[in-house]
Amino acid sequence: MKLRAAILAAFLTLWAAPVFSQSCSMCYSTAKATSKEGQRAISRGVVVLLIPQLGFMTLGVWMAFRYGKKRDLEKGQPTEVADTWYIAET
């Protein structure tokens, strides 16, 4: 199971490698050439675009954990016991 997770992590990292090399030098130089107010506006714009996605991800993870705990309680197993049982079976 650990080997599968390691292979998946390596695959995803290598798949995303081209994204890291696309740090658009034209965009960087254009943003750097703007005034301090323009740079501040760009920074605020990035934060404004980041907040909704961060909120949705946080909400999604919270709901997933809540659903998992509720499902375990409906089965009549405490969360810790259910986790231990799953690990012992695999």
PDB file of all heavy atoms in Angstrom, residues 26-35 38-39 42:
ATOM      1  N   MET A  26       7.806  37.199 -18.476  1.00  0.00           N
ATOM      2  CA  MET A  26       7.215  38.447 -18.953  1.00  0.00           C
ATOM      3  C   MET A  26       6.243  39.009 -17.911  1.00  0.00           C
ATOM      4  O   MET A  26       6.244  40.204 -17.628  1.00  0.00           O
ATOM      5  CB  MET A  26       6.488  38.244 -20.285  1.00  0.00           C
ATOM      6  CG  MET A  26       5.958  39.562 -20.850  1.00  0.00           C
ATOM      7  SD  MET A  26       4.830  39.441 -22.245  1.00  0.00           S
ATOM      8  CE  MET A  26       5.634  38.375 -23.369  1.00  0.00           C
ATOM      9  N   CYS A  27       5.435  38.139 -17.325  1.00  0.00           N
ATOM     10  CA  CYS A  27       4.500  38.589 -16.289  1.00  0.00           C
ATOM     11  C   CYS A  27       5.267  39.128 -15.086  1.00  0.00           C
ATOM     12  O   CYS A  27       4.900  40.147 -14.512  1.00  0.00           O
ATOM     13  CB  CYS A  27       3.593  37.442 -15.846  1.00  0.00           C
ATOM     14  SG  CYS A  27       2.526  36.836 -17.157  1.00  0.00           S
ATOM     15  N   TYR A  28       6.337  38.429 -14.702  1.00  0.00           N
ATOM     16  CA  TYR A  28       7.124  38.858 -13.546  1.00  0.00           C
ATOM     17  C   TYR A  28       7.752  40.220 -13.801  1.00  0.00           C
ATOM     18  O   TYR A  28       7.679  41.113 -12.961  1.00  0.00           O
ATOM     19  CB  TYR A  28       8.209  37.819 -13.243  1.00  0.00           C
ATOM     20  CG  TYR A  28       9.115  38.228 -12.123  1.00  0.00           C
ATOM     21  CD1 TYR A  28       8.693  38.136 -10.802  1.00  0.00           C
ATOM     22  CD2 TYR A  28      10.395  38.702 -12.374  1.00  0.00           C
ATOM     23  CE1 TYR A  28       9.514  38.512  -9.760  1.00  0.00           C
ATOM     24  CE2 TYR A  28      11.220  39.083 -11.347  1.00  0.00           C
ATOM     25  CZ  TYR A  28      10.783  38.982 -10.040  1.00  0.00           C
ATOM     26  OH  TYR A  28      11.610  39.364  -9.020  1.00  0.00           O
ATOM     27  N   SER A  29       8.356  40.395 -14.968  1.00  0.00           N
ATOM     28  CA  SER A  29       9.026  41.668 -15.253  1.00  0.00           C
ATOM     29  C   SER A  29       8.015  42.809 -15.395  1.00  0.00           C
ATOM     30  O   SER A  29       8.280  43.936 -14.976  1.00  0.00           O
ATOM     31  CB  SER A  29       9.895  41.558 -16.509  1.00  0.00           C
ATOM     32  OG  SER A  29       9.097  41.232 -17.624  1.00  0.00           O
ATOM     33  N   THR A  30       6.849  42.530 -15.948  1.00  0.00           N
ATOM     34  CA  THR A  30       5.814  43.556 -16.071  1.00  0.00           C
ATOM     35  C   THR A  30       5.285  43.957 -14.703  1.00  0.00           C
ATOM     36  O   THR A  30       5.108  45.142 -14.416  1.00  0.00           O
ATOM     37  CB  THR A  30       4.651  43.047 -16.947  1.00  0.00           C
ATOM     38  OG1 THR A  30       5.168  42.655 -18.211  1.00  0.00           O
ATOM     39  CG2 THR A  30       3.603  44.113 -17.130  1.00  0.00           C
ATOM     40  N   ALA A  31       5.061  42.999 -13.836  1.00  0.00           N
ATOM     41  CA  ALA A  31       4.578  43.307 -12.487  1.00  0.00           C
ATOM     42  C   ALA A  31       5.636  44.048 -11.690  1.00  0.00           C
ATOM     43  O   ALA A  31       5.320  44.953 -10.912  1.00  0.00           O
ATOM     44  CB  ALA A  31       4.185  42.025 -11.775  1.00  0.00           C
ATOM     45  N   LYS A  32       6.890  43.686 -11.883  1.00  0.00           N
ATOM     46  CA  LYS A  32       7.975  44.339 -11.160  1.00  0.00           C
ATOM     47  C   LYS A  32       8.169  45.779 -11.643  1.00  0.00           C
ATOM     48  O   LYS A  32       8.606  46.633 -10.880  1.00  0.00           O
ATOM     49  CB  LYS A  32       9.257  43.539 -11.359  1.00  0.00           C
ATOM     50  CG  LYS A  32      10.272  43.695 -10.306  1.00  0.00           C
ATOM     51  CD  LYS A  32       9.768  43.147  -9.006  1.00  0.00           C
ATOM     52  CE  LYS A  32      10.922  42.992  -8.049  1.00  0.00           C
ATOM     53  NZ  LYS A  32      10.479  42.905  -6.691  1.00  0.00           N
ATOM     54  N   ALA A  33       7.831  46.060 -12.896  1.00  0.00           N
ATOM     55  CA  ALA A  33       8.026  47.388 -13.468  1.00  0.00           C
ATOM     56  C   ALA A  33       6.917  48.362 -13.078  1.00  0.00           C
ATOM     57  O   ALA A  33       7.066  49.570 -13.281  1.00  0.00           O
ATOM     58  CB  ALA A  33       8.106  47.293 -14.988  1.00  0.00           C
ATOM     59  N   THR A  34       5.838  47.883 -12.526  1.00  0.00           N
ATOM     60  CA  THR A  34       4.742  48.777 -12.134  1.00  0.00           C
ATOM     61  C   THR A  34       5.117  49.537 -10.867  1.00  0.00           C
ATOM     62  O   THR A  34       6.071  49.196 -10.165  1.00  0.00           O
ATOM     63  CB  THR A  34       3.435  47.994 -11.888  1.00  0.00           C
ATOM     64  OG1 THR A  34       3.646  47.056 -10.838  1.00  0.00           O
ATOM     65  CG2 THR A  34       2.976  47.283 -13.134  1.00  0.00           C
ATOM     66  N   SER A  35       4.333  50.537 -10.564  1.00  0.00           N
ATOM     67  CA  SER A  35       4.593  51.335  -9.364  1.00  0.00           C
ATOM     68  C   SER A  35       4.254  50.525  -8.113  1.00  0.00           C
ATOM     69  O   SER A  35       3.679  49.440  -8.190  1.00  0.00           O
ATOM     70  CB  SER A  35       3.739  52.603  -9.394  1.00  0.00           C
ATOM     71  OG  SER A  35       2.373  52.254  -9.343  1.00  0.00           O
ATOM     72  N   GLY A  38       0.630  49.795  -7.958  1.00  0.00           N
ATOM     73  CA  GLY A  38       0.256  48.727  -8.882  1.00  0.00           C
ATOM     74  C   GLY A  38       0.629  47.358  -8.332  1.00  0.00           C
ATOM     75  O   GLY A  38      -0.136  46.401  -8.457  1.00  0.00           O
ATOM     76  N   GLN A  39       1.816  47.262  -7.722  1.00  0.00           N
ATOM     77  CA  GLN A  39       2.227  45.995  -7.111  1.00  0.00           C
ATOM     78  C   GLN A  39       1.306  45.619  -5.960  1.00  0.00           C
ATOM     79  O   GLN A  39       0.961  44.459  -5.779  1.00  0.00           O
ATOM     80  CB  GLN A  39       3.670  46.084  -6.634  1.00  0.00           C
ATOM     81  CG  GLN A  39       4.675  46.155  -7.757  1.00  0.00           C
ATOM     82  CD  GLN A  39       6.098  46.335  -7.256  1.00  0.00           C
ATOM     83  OE1 GLN A  39       6.345  46.415  -6.062  1.00  0.00           O
ATOM     84  NE2 GLN A  39       7.034  46.406  -8.190  1.00  0.00           N
ATOM     85  N   ILE A  42      -1.896  44.275  -7.427  1.00  0.00           N
ATOM     86  CA  ILE A  42      -1.724  42.901  -7.898  1.00  0.00           C
ATOM     87  C   ILE A  42      -1.751  41.931  -6.716  1.00  0.00           C
ATOM     88  O   ILE A  42      -2.391  40.872  -6.765  1.00  0.00           O
ATOM     89  CB  ILE A  42      -0.424  42.760  -8.710  1.00  0.00           C
ATOM     90  CG1 ILE A  42      -0.553  43.513 -10.032  1.00  0.00           C
ATOM     91  CG2 ILE A  42      -0.082  41.292  -8.962  1.00  0.00           C
ATOM     92  CD1 ILE A  42       0.721  43.608 -10.830  1.00  0.00           C
TER      93      ILE A  42
END
